Amino acid sequence: MKKGTKKAFMILGGIGVGFINGFFGGGGGMLCVPLLNKVLGEKTKPSHATAMLIILPISIASAVTYVSSGYFDLKLTLIVGGGVIAGGIAGALLLKKLNSSVISIVFALLMIAAGIKLAFFS
Amino acid sequence: MTAAYIIVGAVGGIIGGMGMGGGTLLIPLLTIFCGIEQHIAQSINLIAFVPMSIVAIIIHCKNKLIKGEYFWWTAVPALFLGVLASLLIKNINGATLSKCFGFFLAALGIYQFVTAVIEAKKAHDKKNGKEKKR
């Protein structure tokens, strides 16, 4: 891929990733990984790692914007956040032991089910 | 209810820790099972994943998995649009935002499902191929 084309894809991809991540308060990483991996041709593991680095500043900036708009609940954030951190460590450790393709299929089905529920039945 | 919040957070964290976008699962878990308003659920997700991703990035950095060449060209436009979109949601009510999120989630789920099935099939074929050679 030409350097110019690559830059154009990065800018366009960044626009999409940033918008989605700010609008939905997440999900930018799930778009950034295929951008790096499928569009720009980076290997899978570096794509995941680099996507995290790209998402971090957007998440911080978006979080600040949300909080200053009044979308903030300290108690809930601390309780859920504690669970997220504990779960995150467990998940990282479990990753080596479980069959990840089975988990991603189950996870995908869960996402589809939750998506349909929210889009049509709420 | 506190226990439910911790469990929901942990489930999101486990998926996130596996690098499969825990946030996209944490938000609907918070709204569907805990009845939390969409904007607040999104705010919790944004904040909760900052410390986790910092730790993960440090580990990835040590393993030399971070490719700096993509950072500026992607992160700068992403930052601007991210803040813009965060301001935009003030004009959208929780129910509408939740509906939009549902469509986004279902589309992402379908993409993830197709990718996972293709990869599982590839791994399966590779395994079978090796067995035949023996």
Side-chain angles (χ1 to χ4, degrees):
Chain A
M1 196 185 286
K2 272 188 195 168
K3 259 194 171 171
T5 326
K6 214 171 178 177
K7 278 179 188 166
F9 275 127
M10 283 193 263
I11 294 170
L12 283 176
I15 288 173
V17 166
F19 186 83
I20 289 291
N21 204 71
F23 198 80
F24 293 126
M30 310 261 318
L31 294 180
C32 199
V33 174
L35 171 73
L36 297 171
N37 187 214
K38 302 266 186 326
V39 181
L40 299 167
E42 185 53 65
K43 288 186 212 110
T44 310
K45 274 191 177 174
S47 295
H48 276 274
T50 309
M52 262 193 177
L53 181 69
I54 293 168
I55 297 303
L56 181 65
I58 322 168
S59 288
I60 294 173
S62 294
V64 170
T65 318
Y66 273 62
V67 172
S68 58
S69 303
Y71 300 124
F72 182 55
D73 187 323
L74 178 67
K75 199 177 149 214
L76 264 182
T77 305
L78 288 177
I79 295 171
V80 177
V84 168
I85 292 168
I89 296 167
L93 296 173
L94 277 172
L95 187 58
K96 289 176 192 162
K97 292 185 181 167
L98 295 172
N99 181 342
S100 67
S101 73
V102 173
I103 300 163
S104 24
I105 291 171
V106 172
F107 177 44
L109 292 174
L110 262 176
M111 282 165 71
I112 297 169
I116 291 172
K117 156 116 181 55
L118 290 174
F120 299 106
F121 303 102
S122 58
Chain B
M1 216 40 204
T2 307
Y5 295 148
I6 296 174
I7 292 167
V8 160
V11 171
I14 289 173
I15 301 290
M18 292 177 165
M20 286 194 271
T24 40
L25 191 68
L26 182 64
I27 296 168
L29 285 176
L30 287 171
T31 58
I32 296 172
F33 293 110
C34 303
I36 293 170
E37 199 271 341
Q38 183 73 25
H39 292 82
I40 300 287
Q42 294 187 183
S43 145
I44 291 173
N45 181 56
L46 281 170
I47 298 167
F49 277 85
V50 168
M52 211 185 88
S53 62
I54 290 176
V55 174
I57 287 167
I58 292 170
I59 295 167
H60 291 322
C61 230
K62 281 185 183 156
N63 293 332
K64 300 202 175 1
L65 284 172
I66 306 267
K67 304 282 171 186
E69 75 227 56
Y70 301 107
F71 182 73
W72 294 108
W73 289 98
T74 314
V76 173
L79 193 64
F80 278 106
L81 266 291
V83 171
L84 185 78
S86 307
L87 290 169
L88 202 67
I89 59 149
K90 276 201 269 189
N91 305 314
I92 299 167
N93 68 47
T96 311
L97 190 59
S98 191
K99 232 178 216 323
C100 294
F101 184 82
F103 282 108
F104 169 65
L105 195 63
L108 215 53
I110 292 166
Y111 172 79
Q112 171 108 346
F113 181 78
V114 173
T115 318
V117 169
I118 290 171
E119 253 152 52
K121 195 180 174 300
K122 260 189 209 161
H124 182 78
D125 288 350
K126 214 176 170 184
K127 207 174 153 193
N128 281 359
K130 270 182 193 163
E131 275 167 12
K132 271 177 197 167
K133 273 178 197 166
R134 278 180 210 160

